[in-house]
């Protein structure tokens, strides 16, 4: 029981540290490049809206039926890249924040698997 709680505390601390890192990097980037905050759920056009919906459906189907951690991470990375591409095409600067989020997500997953944070 103690091993499980220790692992849970370690996982919560790991997630908290990465949320804090992303918050600091996002605030710094928004200030440096004058990026106005916009609602995350706001899509650029109907292709963006339907593309995100289809990609999230693929992700949830994969989670429910195949449960492969690496495949799920790759699908989330594709969703980040699709969002960034659509934001960039519309001329918004928000794509910079999306790409920074992608980089932090890749580091989060890489370090998590390297140090066995995600095991059991």
């Amino acid at each position: 029981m103690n091993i499980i709680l220790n692992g849970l505390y370690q996982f919560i601390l790991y997630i908290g540290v990465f949320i804090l890192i992303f918050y600091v990097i996002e605030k710094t980037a928004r200030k440096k490049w004058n990026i106005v905050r916009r609602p995350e759920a706001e899509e650029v056009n109907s292709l963006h809206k339907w593309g995100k919906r289809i990609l999230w459906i693929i992700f949830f189907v994969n989670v429910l039926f195949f449960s492969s951690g690496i495949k799920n991470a790759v699908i989330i990375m594709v969703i980040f890249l699709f969002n960034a591409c659509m934001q960039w095409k519309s001329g918004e600067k928000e794509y910079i924040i999306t790409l920074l989020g992608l980089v932090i997500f890749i580091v989060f997953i890489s370090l998590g698997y390297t140090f066995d944070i995600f095991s059991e």
Side-chain angles (χ1 to χ4, degrees):
M1 184 68 172
N2 193 19
I3 293 172
I4 294 172
L5 284 178
N6 189 22
L8 181 63
Y9 292 144
Q10 184 180 13
F11 182 69
I12 291 171
L13 178 65
Y14 182 71
I15 288 176
V17 166
F18 269 92
I19 289 172
L20 182 65
I21 289 170
F22 178 71
Y23 178 78
V24 169
I25 289 174
E26 179 189 12
K27 289 292 184 187
T28 305
R30 285 192 188 278
K31 186 182 254 187
K32 181 176 182 177
W33 290 304
N34 292 329
I35 301 171
V36 178
R37 177 177 285 281
R38 68 174 191 81
E40 184 62 38
E42 186 178 311
E43 288 89 10
V44 175
N45 55 27
S46 63
L47 174 66
H48 189 196
K49 179 191 294 185
W50 283 101
K52 276 176 58 174
R53 287 179 182 175
I54 291 168
L55 287 170
W56 279 110
I57 288 170
I58 291 170
F59 171 74
F60 286 120
V61 166
N62 192 47
V63 167
L64 288 174
F65 297 114
F66 305 111
S67 68
S68 170
I70 298 298
K71 283 183 189 175
N72 294 338
V74 169
I75 293 171
I76 290 176
M77 288 179 212
V78 169
I79 293 170
F80 270 103
L81 285 173
F82 178 72
N83 273 338
C85 180
M86 295 304 288
Q87 291 165 349
W88 173 70
K89 282 188 170 194
S90 72
E92 295 182 13
K93 288 184 181 180
E94 188 72 24
Y95 74 93
I96 296 170
I97 303 300
T98 304
L99 290 176
L100 286 172
L102 174 63
V103 169
I104 290 172
F105 179 74
I106 291 171
V107 170
F108 175 80
I109 295 297
S110 299
L111 288 177
Y113 277 108
T114 301
F115 295 115
D116 282 335
I117 302 286
F118 301 134
S119 65
E120 300 176 31

